Amino acid sequence: MCGIVGVLGNHEAAPILVEALKRLEYRGYDSAGIATVNKGTLARRRALGKLVNLSDLLVHDPLPGKSGIGHTRWATHGVPSVSNAHPHRAGSVAVVHNGIIENYRELRAELAGIGLEFQTETDTETVALLTQHYLEQGLSPVAAANQTLDRLQGAFALAFLFDGEEDLMIAARRGSPLAIGHGDGEMFVGSDAIALAPLTDRITYLEEGDRVVLSRTSFEIRDAQGALANRAMKTIQIDVTQVDKAGHKHFMAKEIAEQPTVIAEAIRHYLPVGEDAVHLPGAGIDFSQIDRLTMVACGTAYYACLTAKYWFEQIARIPVEVDVASEFRYREPPIPGKTAALFVSQSGETADTLAALRYCEGKADKILSVANVAESSIARESDLALPIHAGVEIGVASTKAFTCQLSVLLMLALKAATDRSEITAEDLQAHISALRGLPNVLAAALEQNDNIRQTAQKLSEARDVLFLGRGLMFPLALEGALKLKEISYIHAEAYASGELKHGPIALIDKQMPVVVFAPKDRLFDKSVSNMQEVMARKGKVVLISDAPGLKEGGEGTWETIDAAGAR
Ligand code: M6R
């Protein structure tokens, strides 16, 4: 995911931009660049790879100026290269962009038709060229940017900077979030408030379709219809230490370690001390009035939904449908009466999930969200927003947000079971005390770090890894495979253990580690049978279980991990 920053400031912009881009590093990137206007002249510097390469370049080839835009690029159109890196420039305009211009091919053809040449393979360059084309026709920068924005299809956030204009920046949001930061006689733009955290705590979030014209002392927002729009300025509290690795090697390690604390926080908000029932914020929801639940999300958040489906169905006896947001939104499914639609997202800004939520507006009886970023579009646009209290998640690979999502979803399922009179007081109390004990269980699991590291080292030599699970463990197996792919680039697939014999078993040989999630529960014996099938083909089983499970099923396995105790 690309990152955007912009500054109309009173100090040199380049170091401010680079520092702000560092705070967006968590989104992942392959190149970076900045542009400034100095004494009326627009110039840019771009570098491939880490931000340190851009910083080094700026040491040798400084870029003065107090107005600037910056970008970290994650290649979508065109390979990672200096020429494909942002800002993109055409004549008097420089542009940074997050998202995708879906009609860039038509625009490219049109621009080529009038003799314009492309220097890059990106969709973004069409934005710069089109704007320059309108400038050459005599339009002002604001009119040229507006005319360009009217022509664009897709989901994007954009910031424009112009030659000769040191007190002007134009920004727009459609599908990708963008925030304005208000300083004293300074103005900032950022993909999120984290980028702007040390610069200002006064933030205005642009809404869908908004365009803003900024100077150092003023800003004017117009909505998608072109009408002047009043968007609230919020004083936000982002603890800048949250954007610090706190002694950990990387953010993901920090966030894994934070789980006992943040889960305790999430549980405290829904199960206040001394209470024996789940409390939802605001007006809540009465699940006795709901016949059906539709859950929609992407990636890890989707796997959290798949897990929660078991809880809503088994504990609350409510029928649940779970869908990937990018499929749901284009499938346009019918939403029968008495349906609650629930959207799960860490960022609260994922375009497909947001589009799916908007599809359900006016169709579902109630729109709920489980999001981490409380000010996000998904949280703001739902009838009932259920925050997960995970704190800022910087690591691209979702970790603590996933476990906090699961905790909140389980509490919501308990609330549903209570509303629908599907749970006895004893069973509810058993779940509540298990939830309250969760931080300690997680802390014990984290003490397994050294053991887990040894297993990970062995797995790191594999080319392909299979993950298996039954029941609740199946979505966890899916999430495990996603994490392994994302973090190690090792090919990994997950299957419901019962599916092993229906095809994937053909892949098993002595090269193939098979990670099996199997606690000692009612499905354990079936999982043991699956492990036997794997071992009979010389597959290497890594069994992740609890102490009784390891005792009973650990024999003959390659590696074992006790998820809540000793190895
Ligand atoms: O912010 P969201 O939860 O909506 O993001 C959805 C997915 O992109 C996300 O969960 C992704 O799969 C994880 N970061 C992977 O670790």
Side-chain angles (χ1 to χ4, degrees), residues 329-408:
R329 67 180 283 199
Y330 296 114
R331 207 178 69 240
E332 301 182 351
I335 311 280
K338 293 196 164 192
T339 296
L342 171 54
F343 300 87
V344 180
S345 170
Q346 189 287 123
S347 61
E349 298 292 351
T350 300
D352 285 326
T353 311
L354 184 56
L357 180 151
R358 288 183 178 148
Y359 171 77
C360 288
E361 274 168 8
K363 299 186 184 78
D365 279 27
K366 191 106 173 169
I367 294 190
L368 295 89
S369 65
V370 170
N372 192 27
V373 181
E375 310 80 18
S376 62
S377 307
I378 288 174
R380 280 189 280 118
E381 293 187 26
S382 45
D383 302 321
L384 175 62
L386 302 164
I388 62 168
H389 303 284
V392 177
E393 190 176 65
I394 305 272
V396 175
S398 195
T399 53
K400 63 174 181 172
F402 178 63
T403 43
C404 283
Q405 282 163 357
L406 290 179
S407 309
V408 171

Side-chain angles (χ1 to χ4, degrees), residues 17 20 30 43 110 118 161 163 195 208 218 231 265 288 306 308 323 326 356 396 401 492 509 517 533 556:
L17 291 169
D30 46 54
E110 181 184 324
F118 290 84
L161 196 68
D163 198 64
E208 201 47 19
S218 68
R231 306 286 181 231
E265 189 61 14
S288 69
L306 282 184
D323 212 340
S326 55
V396 175
D509 61 15
F517 294 86
E533 286 166 348

Side-chain angles (χ1 to χ4, degrees), residues 88-93 95 101 103-104 106-112 114 116-118 123-141 143-153 158 160 162:
H88 286 289
R89 180 173 182 179
S92 308
V93 62
V95 181
I101 309 296
N103 59 335
Y104 85 103
E106 298 100 272
L107 294 174
R108 251 177 112 101
E110 181 184 324
L111 293 164
I114 54 171
L116 297 181
E117 284 182 9
F118 290 84
D123 52 342
T124 311
E125 193 183 8
T126 55
V127 181
L129 279 168
L130 202 56
T131 312
Q132 175 61 18
H133 170 62
Y134 291 129
L135 288 171
E136 282 169 9
Q137 291 188 338
L139 267 61
S140 69
N146 272 327
Q147 195 99 322
T148 302
L149 289 165
D150 288 344
R151 302 283 318 277
L152 304 181
Q153 288 166 17
L158 282 158
F160 300 77
F162 298 88

Side-chain angles (χ1 to χ4, degrees), residues 22 59 88 155 205 258 292 357 372 504 544:
K22 275 189 194 156
V59 169
H88 286 289
Y205 290 96
E258 279 174 347
R292 186 171 163 272
L357 180 151
N372 192 27
I544 302 182

